Amino acid sequence: MSQGDHYAVFNPKELEAKLPFIMKAINGWDFSKGLVIRVERYQNPRSISQNALFHAWCRTMSKHFIEKIPTATPENMKLMMKNRFLGTEDIKVGKEIIKGQVKQSSALTKGEMVHFLDNVYHWAHNHDLILESDADSEYQKLKRQQDE
């Protein structure tokens, strides 16, 4: 069992089915270092729809800025937004530490992704660009839920 192994369980029957795999992972642990077992509430990871909207917004921002800023490619806009609103982290690979890597949005929950998208939206608005999203998009639905 390595750091990050996890099992999502939504009902007792699923737990019964997954328990042998969980026990196998625990029994395979070498215990030279401790093992943490944590039970916590499941939170939905950010959705494909939210991620697609972010990528669409990055393309829109790129089109808006590319004439004045030739390096404002969709990929660079994506990196800039993540750096600005998610920050950076050091990543350890074996004994090597890679410093200052832009955090990934894939680890965000749906709620955290809404907050991130809000930051991107407001940043663009402050730079004279209105980013569009459909009223029935998952992003807008989640925003309405947060406002309730």
Side-chain angles (χ1 to χ4, degrees), residues 98-117:
I98 306 168
K99 294 193 174 283
Q101 299 300 299
V102 175
K103 288 185 179 179
Q104 300 295 309
S105 63
S106 58
L108 299 178
T109 64
K110 284 185 178 183
E112 292 167 336
M113 189 67 175
V114 167
H115 180 70
F116 172 66
L117 290 170

Side-chain angles (χ1 to χ4, degrees), residues 21-110:
F21 299 102
I22 296 169
M23 289 306 301
K24 183 177 178 184
I26 292 170
N27 289 331
W29 191 259
D30 75 6
F31 290 98
S32 62
K33 294 193 178 186
L35 170 67
V36 174
I37 300 171
R38 180 178 21 200
V39 177
E40 60 188 17
R41 185 175 151 258
Y42 176 79
Q43 293 188 335
N44 287 330
R46 63 120 165 100
S47 68
I48 293 171
S49 169
Q50 288 174 308
N51 195 51
L53 178 62
F54 175 54
H55 284 261
W57 283 359
C58 289
R59 288 189 300 274
T60 300
M61 289 186 289
S62 175
K63 288 176 188 173
H64 181 78
F65 295 115
I66 200 87
E67 281 188 34
K68 291 183 181 177
I69 308 167
T71 55
T73 63
E75 185 62 26
N76 285 345
M77 294 304 302
K78 177 178 154 183
L79 288 172
M80 187 174 86
M81 293 296 106
K82 286 181 178 183
N83 184 60
R84 180 174 297 270
F85 300 116
L86 300 179
T88 61
E89 63 187 344
D90 297 340
I91 297 174
K92 187 174 181 181
V93 180
K95 294 181 180 179
E96 186 174 341
I97 296 176
I98 306 168
K99 294 193 174 283
Q101 299 300 299
V102 175
K103 288 185 179 179
Q104 300 295 309
S105 63
S106 58
L108 299 178
T109 64
K110 284 185 178 183

